[in-house]
Amino acid sequence: MKLVSRYTLRQIGVPALLAAVVIGFFIVGGTVRNQMGELIELIPADQVRVLDVSRISFYALPTLAGYIIPITFLMGIMFAFSRMAQHSEMIAMKAAGIPLKRIVLPVIAAGALLSGVVYVAQDMGRPWAYLRLMSLMKVELPLRLTIDMLPTGSIQEYGGWRVYIGKREPDGTLRNLTVLQPAEEGGANAFYADSARLTREDGRPVLEMRKGYLVPADPTRHITFETLKQPVPTPETQKIPNLNDGMTMSELLSEERRLGDVYEQTGSLPVAGELHGIRIEIKNRFTFPLMCLAVSLVGAPIGARTQRSGRSYAFAVGLSMICLYFVLRKLVEPAFLASLPLTVAMGQIPNLLLAVTGAVLIGRVDRV
């Protein structure tokens, strides 16, 4: 019997892994495309490295595990049993006295195990990946931007300066440069230069301006220069947003209690919106992991009773169950601020419906 269980799970594992690669490629690709749009706003496209794209893709995987693993596991179940039915392996097992229920149970056990894996991935891997993705996007990449990379023809903010670059030469020379530098006593120092280059002195970036003039914060003064060197400020970085994706379950529960107390005291609508979002996130942290168990409960008996219908049948049935699941999930998601237990319970309705359907099918799986 152990040999049959290992064989069945191996038949499921191969198509599930292939489906994970394909589906993950498209889902992660969409995430990377969105992040790349933000990247291009931060630094020029030619400064984006392959390693940056690879890191974004890697950090996106844990955040999407809750979607990818249950879907691909169900597809693996349907494809595996369809292939076994096409090769008459299910008939051979029944002829050998192996009940279909015995073939189904290891699949359900694997679904329960995957539920635990997905929960851990969401509770530990997702916050870890989110914080590193935000650190890359909001801190590391902005610090890589140098003043000579700024777009030409428009005023840009850079480390507190306001910079206008008329033209950039192929050798890196900046033409028709204007820099507005905030002054400590108020106002701003204005630098105008015919040309400028970014250099380094003692490891620090320095803007070397040529043939220009300086209008200090005191407009009565006017200084003409042939060459003027000005230390370049550090580019501004953005604060990492403290969104729900960056919290573990214990942190989410703690934040939910805090916001609940604030809402009871103030009745604030913005606080109610934050509280609703936190409770929806907590609900999802339970719902998606249990989806692995739910789809195994209904997918395994359906797959075990599959006739020689081919892979198109398996794909159609699997896709139908996935669509039904997400439609139900959307329908039962509370659009209003409900209590945490009610929000979590409503989120489990699709899983419960699949589980009940699966329990009925498992009881009838060996009937002729």
Side-chain angles (χ1 to χ4, degrees):
M1 286 299 188
K2 290 183 179 180
L3 181 62
V4 173
S5 298
R6 288 197 299 269
Y7 176 77
T8 303
L9 293 177
R10 188 166 59 249
Q11 295 301 309
I12 293 173
V14 174
L17 183 60
L18 292 175
V21 172
V22 174
I23 295 175
F25 175 81
F26 286 103
I27 295 180
V28 172
T31 302
V32 172
R33 185 173 63 251
N34 294 335
Q35 297 295 340
M36 285 297 294
E38 296 184 24
L39 265 180
I40 301 305
E41 294 180 0
L42 293 173
I43 60 177
D46 58 358
Q47 297 296 320
V48 179
R49 305 166 185 168
V50 175
L51 180 59
D52 298 328
V53 179
S54 301
R55 291 170 67 188
I56 292 174
S57 303
F58 178 74
Y59 294 145
L61 282 174
T63 64
L64 300 171
Y67 296 90
I68 295 175
I69 295 179
I71 293 173
T72 56
F73 182 53
L74 175 61
M75 300 307 296
I77 292 172
M78 300 308 299
F79 274 104
F81 280 119
S82 175
R83 193 200 67 79
M84 293 167 69
Q86 282 187 304
H87 291 81
S88 302
E89 294 179 36
M90 306 300 294
I91 296 175
M93 290 181 183
K94 287 190 288 185
I98 302 175
L100 292 179
K101 189 178 297 184
R102 178 63 185 80
I103 301 172
V104 164
L105 291 179
V107 180
I108 297 173
L113 179 62
L114 278 178
S115 291
V117 171
V118 173
Y119 179 83
V120 173
Q122 289 196 129
D123 191 47
M124 299 178 63
R126 184 174 178 176
W128 176 87
Y130 169 81
L131 293 175
R132 278 153 183 79
L133 177 60
M134 289 297 101
S135 177
L136 173 65
M137 297 293 298
K138 305 297 184 182
V139 179
E140 182 178 334
L141 292 177
L143 288 176
R144 191 186 300 171
L145 178 67
T146 58
I147 198 169
D148 57 343
M149 294 180 185
L150 295 177
T152 60
S154 61
I155 297 177
Q156 303 290 325
E157 296 284 344
Y158 188 89
W161 287 7
R162 303 192 70 188
V163 182
Y164 175 86
I165 301 173
K167 182 181 178 181
R168 183 185 296 104
E169 300 290 352
D171 63 355
T173 300
L174 309 178
R175 297 290 184 183
N176 301 325
L177 178 75
T178 301
V179 175
L180 297 179
Q181 177 193 56
E184 296 181 358
E185 61 275 10
N189 300 318
F191 299 86
Y192 304 91
D194 178 65
S195 65
R197 288 187 65 89
L198 183 66
T199 61
R200 300 190 73 86
E201 293 184 1
D202 299 327
R204 292 191 58 188
V206 173
L207 187 64
E208 184 178 334
M209 295 175 279
R210 303 185 185 93
K211 295 183 179 180
Y213 57 92
L214 163 64
V215 180
D218 180 3
T220 62
R221 300 172 57 195
H222 187 124
I223 303 171
T224 303
F225 58 83
E226 284 295 320
T227 300
L228 179 65
K229 294 182 179 180
Q230 192 69 19
V232 177
T234 302
E236 295 179 352
T237 59
Q238 302 177 44
K239 183 179 179 181
I240 296 178
N242 188 26
L243 298 180
N244 300 339
D245 286 342
M247 298 184 187
T248 63
M249 180 61 78
S250 61
E251 291 170 340
L252 285 170
L253 292 172
S254 177
E255 183 67 5
E256 189 275 336
R257 288 191 294 269
R258 185 189 72 81
L259 289 174
D261 293 340
V262 173
Y263 180 67
E264 287 184 3
Q265 296 171 6
T266 64
S268 169
L269 290 179
V271 173
E274 292 183 43
L275 183 58
H276 177 68
I278 286 283
R279 288 175 177 173
I280 293 296
E281 180 64 25
I282 293 173
K283 180 262 296 182
N284 290 338
R285 295 286 180 97
F286 286 111
T287 301
F288 286 122
L290 289 174
M291 182 183 174
C292 292
L293 178 59
V295 298
S296 68
L297 283 168
V298 71
I302 291 177
R305 293 294 298 267
T306 298
Q307 303 300 319
R308 299 186 180 186
S309 304
R311 295 183 179 180
S312 59
Y313 169 80
F315 179 79
V317 172
L319 183 61
S320 299
M321 283 193 283
I322 292 168
C323 293
L324 177 62
Y325 182 92
F326 281 98
V327 169
L328 287 173
R329 171 182 172 271
K330 194 65 178 178
L331 289 175
V332 301
E333 185 171 284
F336 53 89
L337 180 60
S339 65
L340 180 60
L342 178 60
T343 302
V344 173
M346 291 179 69
Q348 298 307 317
I349 290 176
N351 288 334
L352 289 173
L353 289 176
L354 290 182
V356 171
T357 303
V360 174
L361 293 175
I362 291 170
R364 301 170 59 87
V365 71
D366 286 304
R367 296 185 184 183
V368 177

